Amino acid sequence: MTKRQIEIIRKSIKIIACKGIQGLTIKNLSKEIGISEAAIYRHFKSKTDILLAILKNFENMSAFMEESLKSIDDCAYKKINMIFSNIVEIFSKEPSHISVIFSEEIFKSEEVLKTMIRKIMEQKEQTIEKIISEGQKRGEVRNDVDNKSLALIVMGTFRYMIKQMDLKGNHKNLQEEQKKLVDNLKVIFTKNKELF
């Protein structure tokens, strides 16, 4: 991506965070950046292309995190903690990303966007399921509940925590809350507490 494309994406995220998806227009974006609407169209064909680029960027970050987990031989709890820590670090630096990434409803109007957000969610879900399944095989995670259900509990709880903190405007304590959440999930999911 060019520097200008990155700038357009960053400004788009900030507009969505402040004004919602309705506020993201090419006109508003050109005013925010200080360039003409035609200049924006030289970098992106449409608003949909800008939103796709935002999602693609997040997908790439997620894929990178998941790829790095493959080389780590650690317990399920620590792997989940690593994923959440990385996401929270991004959101702590750029809280406006929360409004975009955790507001899937803003992408429902466009099938191509809905498909992309579904792909990202499924990718995350499969990663968490696999980590939990491996933990169950090693006896680290209780196996009286299936890995899919546990993954949904993990993801839903994390999403709720992020949204709650965002709505309160409390981005400073995200890392502290994330740590508490993962510690509590560990207690709920651990079959043998002495393993950790």
Side-chain angles (χ1 to χ4, degrees), residues 2-108:
T2 65
K3 284 183 182 180
R4 183 63 85 187
Q5 285 174 316
I6 292 167
E7 181 184 19
I8 290 169
I9 287 170
R10 285 190 176 143
K11 294 290 184 182
S12 296
I13 290 169
K14 287 188 178 169
I15 289 171
I16 293 169
C18 295
K19 300 179 181 179
I21 192 67
Q22 301 81 7
L24 180 61
T25 63
I26 300 299
K27 185 176 184 175
N28 286 346
L29 191 52
S30 69
K31 283 181 188 174
E32 183 74 27
I33 297 172
I35 60 174
S36 70
E37 292 177 43
I40 290 175
Y41 284 117
R42 281 196 290 275
H43 297 282
F44 292 99
K45 293 177 188 173
S46 65
K47 176 176 148 178
T48 299
D49 281 349
I50 295 169
L51 292 170
L52 271 173
I54 291 168
L55 290 176
K56 190 70 179 162
N57 190 36
F58 190 73
E59 182 188 33
N60 290 340
M61 284 190 289
S62 294
F64 177 76
M65 278 190 272
E66 287 156 22
E67 191 60 37
S68 65
L69 282 175
K70 289 179 183 175
S71 63
I72 297 169
D73 185 30
D74 222 330
C75 67
Y77 159 75
K78 288 184 180 174
K79 285 185 175 184
I80 290 170
N81 187 46
M82 186 183 301
I83 291 171
F84 287 178
S85 293
N86 288 333
I87 293 169
V88 163
E89 187 178 337
I90 292 165
F91 290 157
S92 295
K93 290 177 184 171
E94 293 285 342
S96 55
H97 282 66
I98 297 170
S99 301
V100 178
I101 301 304
F102 284 91
S103 297
E104 297 89 0
E105 61 276 2
I106 70 175
F107 301 108
K108 285 184 180 176

Side-chain angles (χ1 to χ4, degrees), residues 44-196:
F44 292 99
K45 293 177 188 173
S46 65
K47 176 176 148 178
T48 299
D49 281 349
I50 295 169
L51 292 170
L52 271 173
I54 291 168
L55 290 176
K56 190 70 179 162
N57 190 36
F58 190 73
E59 182 188 33
N60 290 340
M61 284 190 289
S62 294
F64 177 76
M65 278 190 272
E66 287 156 22
E67 191 60 37
S68 65
L69 282 175
K70 289 179 183 175
S71 63
I72 297 169
D73 185 30
D74 222 330
C75 67
Y77 159 75
K78 288 184 180 174
K79 285 185 175 184
I80 290 170
N81 187 46
M82 186 183 301
I83 291 171
F84 287 178
S85 293
N86 288 333
I87 293 169
V88 163
E89 187 178 337
I90 292 165
F91 290 157
S92 295
K93 290 177 184 171
E94 293 285 342
S96 55
H97 282 66
I98 297 170
S99 301
V100 178
I101 301 304
F102 284 91
S103 297
E104 297 89 0
E105 61 276 2
I106 70 175
F107 301 108
K108 285 184 180 176
S109 61
E110 297 270 348
E111 193 58 40
V112 69
L113 298 174
K114 196 162 51 169
T115 300
M116 176 68 95
I117 201 78
R118 197 169 45 237
K119 180 181 172 191
I120 293 168
M121 289 174 76
E122 286 168 2
Q123 182 184 21
K124 274 272 170 271
E125 188 176 343
Q126 289 168 2
T127 299
I128 300 290
E129 282 175 14
K130 186 176 177 193
I131 290 168
I132 290 171
S133 178
E134 288 168 358
Q136 288 172 323
K137 287 174 188 167
R138 289 193 302 252
E140 301 163 356
V141 177
R142 63 188 309 154
N143 55 12
D144 56 338
V145 180
D146 67 282
N147 66 328
K148 286 186 183 297
S149 297
L150 291 175
L152 286 175
I153 292 168
V154 168
M155 292 173 63
T157 307
F158 182 69
R159 184 186 195 287
Y160 180 79
M161 187 258 319
I162 294 286
K163 285 298 289 179
Q164 186 181 48
M165 299 293 285
D166 187 46
L167 290 170
K168 290 178 180 176
N170 188 1
H171 303 114
K172 289 181 211 162
N173 296 335
L174 269 175
Q175 290 171 326
E176 181 183 315
E177 290 299 314
Q178 174 262 321
K179 186 186 177 329
K180 273 195 258 179
L181 173 69
V182 175
D183 286 347
N184 287 324
L185 286 172
K186 178 176 76 169
V187 172
I188 294 167
F189 292 171
T190 302
K191 187 176 180 180
N192 179 355
K193 291 179 179 67
E194 291 180 18
L195 283 170
F196 300 100

